[in-house]
Amino acid sequence: MKKILIFFAMMFVFIALSANSIVSAAGNPLPERDNPIWNIMKNMKNPTDSNCSSLAATELATTLYSGREIEFCLGIAQISEMEKSLDENDIVTNLFKKDDWRNITGLYFEDEEFGKIEFTKPINFMSYDFLTFLSTFTDRFSMDRGEIGLNADIVGGLYGYGAMLTMYGAGNFEDPEILIDGKKDKKGVVSGLTYDPKTKNITFNAAHFTTFKAVESAQKASIKKVEAKKYVKLNGKKRIKIVMSGKDFDSKAKVKIGTKSAHKIKKVNDRKLIAYFKTNELDKLGDAKVYLKVKNPKAKSDKFKKKFTITDIGKNMLKYQIFILP
């Protein structure tokens, strides 16, 4: 897996000059949450805001850091050094083109080989949580073919920021789905999934961030109710139309009666599937008792609860009707 190797500048190196240094302990390059530097930054538009010195002087006037506003502002300005590191690691972003970091809209991070993350709602990067998040980005963010991972626990998983993810060239799929941390998405984290079979790109919305992986859908279909109708076409060919009601039907599903496959399948929606059989093929089954089965791609098959014979059509299990279609 390709990691995004970001060198986050030690943004407060200029401040660590005395025993009263604001740099936090335990190797963390960022000051603690209660440090006055965050009050300075929350009033700045961006890391290189020309008003930094005056804002810092006001904020520090009654603290033990009075008179050290230049050191604070030089340290804050180093945040912009991250742009060079992103460029060196082939990560494209519009973050550094934004003037107001307190209200960034349309933010994206993109690896032109593997994918893109976009945010449709405003984000305030001039805050303790988001800068701490960025300072450990190298350990949090990874991309691979058909996979995007981002550990965003420190910023609440980025809930509510309108995240849209695109996987470039994710692979060949008939009906892709996105696994969440290697498991099926049972909580609806992913929505609005689209797949372009030409570019192999997958785009989807995510309620929050974790590890997303594209795989072929292997959802098992379920048959709850069956109706059958015999008909004769104008050209004299006889057909049997099987209408199945249930759930999770796939457009690429395979339908069989015994060993005989439907010659045509039509998916109405996830809960209704229609299969057409050639009567002369089914007649070959004779009086053998068989199951009606449906199988989604790469999933286990489901069979209707009762076995039947072809002559049973119109008796107990299935409704029967003769009509002519053009």
Side-chain angles (χ1 to χ4, degrees), residues 45-61:
K45 294 184 66 175
N46 56 59
T48 57
D49 190 332
S50 60
N51 293 319
C52 180
S53 293
S54 60
L55 292 170
T58 300
E59 181 64 34
L60 302 175

Side-chain angles (χ1 to χ4, degrees), residues 46-286:
N46 56 59
T48 57
D49 190 332
S50 60
N51 293 319
C52 180
S53 293
S54 60
L55 292 170
T58 300
E59 181 64 34
L60 302 175
T62 58
T63 72
L64 54 84
Y65 309 114
S66 178
R68 298 178 62 185
E69 56 269 14
I70 293 178
E71 297 166 25
F72 274 76
C73 291
L74 286 174
I76 294 171
Q78 286 187 83
I79 297 172
S80 296
E81 294 297 317
M82 191 177 67
E83 181 176 19
K84 180 180 179 181
S85 179
L86 287 167
D87 288 340
E88 290 173 349
N89 286 278
D90 301 319
I91 302 303
V92 179
T93 180
N94 59 349
L95 173 63
F96 299 94
K97 294 180 175 64
K98 300 291 185 177
D99 181 57
D100 190 354
W101 280 36
R102 297 169 302 183
N103 186 36
I104 297 178
T105 57
L107 176 68
Y108 67 82
F109 293 94
E110 180 181 22
D111 181 314
E112 295 180 335
E113 181 180 2
F114 292 126
K116 184 177 184 180
I117 293 176
E118 301 175 74
F119 300 93
T120 59
K121 295 185 179 180
I123 297 177
N124 177 14
F125 265 93
M126 299 298 282
S127 65
Y128 174 87
D129 286 340
F130 271 97
L131 286 176
T132 300
F133 168 65
L134 285 177
S135 73
T136 54
F137 213 60
T138 182
D139 297 320
R140 294 176 178 276
F141 192 26
S142 60
M143 281 191 179
D144 201 351
R145 190 70 61 199
E147 185 170 354
I148 296 177
L150 180 62
N151 178 357
D153 59 330
I154 199 168
V155 283
L158 286 165
Y159 273 96
Y161 286 96
M164 183 168 69
L165 287 74
T166 302
M167 296 174 173
Y168 297 152
N172 293 308
F173 297 101
E174 293 289 339
D175 182 24
E177 67 172 319
I178 303 297
L179 298 183
I180 306 297
D181 294 328
K183 298 179 181 179
K184 282 190 172 292
D185 180 16
K186 295 182 178 180
K187 296 184 178 180
V189 176
V190 171
S191 62
L193 186 150
T194 61
Y195 173 65
D196 186 335
K198 292 183 179 180
T199 63
K200 316 301 181 187
N201 291 351
I202 295 176
T203 299
F204 58 93
N205 298 313
H208 64 84
F209 276 96
T210 182
T211 298
F212 304 95
K213 185 174 182 178
V215 297
E216 188 67 69
S217 176
Q219 180 68 48
K220 181 180 177 180
S222 177
I223 310 171
K224 301 297 183 184
K225 179 182 177 183
V226 176
E227 294 183 1
K229 298 177 181 179
K230 286 184 176 180
Y231 64 91
V232 181
K233 299 179 72 173
L234 289 178
N235 59 11
K237 293 182 178 180
K238 298 179 181 180
R239 298 286 185 263
I240 292 180
K241 175 182 178 182
I242 304 290
V243 180
M244 289 161 281
S245 299
K247 64 179 182 178
D248 299 322
F249 291 126
D250 190 279
S251 60
K252 301 293 184 180
K254 305 295 183 183
V255 180
K256 286 186 175 182
I257 294 179
T259 59
K260 304 302 179 181
S261 298
H263 84 97
K264 181 180 178 182
I265 302 290
K266 178 182 178 182
K267 177 184 174 181
V268 179
N269 52 49
D270 289 345
R271 299 174 302 281
K272 188 173 183 179
L273 190 69
I274 301 174
Y276 298 86
F277 290 85
K278 296 178 180 179
T279 306
N280 62 336
E281 286 294 314
L282 293 184
D283 286 343
K284 295 177 182 179
L285 296 173

Side-chain angles (χ1 to χ4, degrees), residues 23-37:
V23 179
S24 63
N28 185 357
L30 302 180
E32 300 295 347
R33 189 186 293 271
D34 60 356
N35 195 277
I37 197 167

